[in-house]
Amino acid sequence: MPEAIEIQLKKGALELCVLALLSQHDSYAYEIASRLADAIGMGEGTIYPLMRRLQSDGLVETYLVESTAGPSRKYYRLTEAGKRSFESQKASWRSFSGAVENILGEAQ
């Protein structure tokens, strides 16, 4: 796949992936970045600006957790608006990806 297309596909799905991870459990940004790097090859640098935007949009909120092995960690959790956004985006993704799969299945 040409690199530019792959990058755009990843960027388009990134917010949905972050919301999906947070729907499973609260997490800190480095953990989210690591999971996304392993799963879809997204770089760590793309996560932090997205997390700030999600927070300013009211989709996530933060809290600190004390650590015995270093500084406190900032954890993220979905707000009610974040949960609604995740459900909406998940439905849209399933509809869109199903339509693309149908078109690809018809292609020779």
Side-chain angles (χ1 to χ4, degrees), residues 8 12 25 34 44 47 49 54 57-58 64 66 69 81-82 90 100 102:
Q8 290 305 312
H25 59 80
S34 295
E44 182 181 325
I47 298 304
L54 292 175
D57 289 350
L64 291 177
E66 296 292 325
K90 183 170 61 170
V100 169
N102 286 337

Side-chain angles (χ1 to χ4, degrees), residues 60-106:
V60 300
E61 58 190 10
T62 62
Y63 61 95
L64 291 177
V65 174
E66 296 292 325
S67 173
T68 58
S72 300
R73 283 194 173 138
K74 183 193 293 188
Y75 274 74
Y76 293 86
R77 70 175 152 232
L78 291 180
T79 62
E80 288 303 315
K83 292 173 186 175
R84 288 190 302 273
S85 180
F86 170 59
E87 290 302 322
S88 174
Q89 288 185 44
K90 183 170 61 170
S92 294
W93 176 263
R94 287 188 170 145
S95 175
F96 175 75
S97 62
V100 169
E101 284 296 326
N102 286 337
I103 290 169
L104 292 176
E106 297 168 0

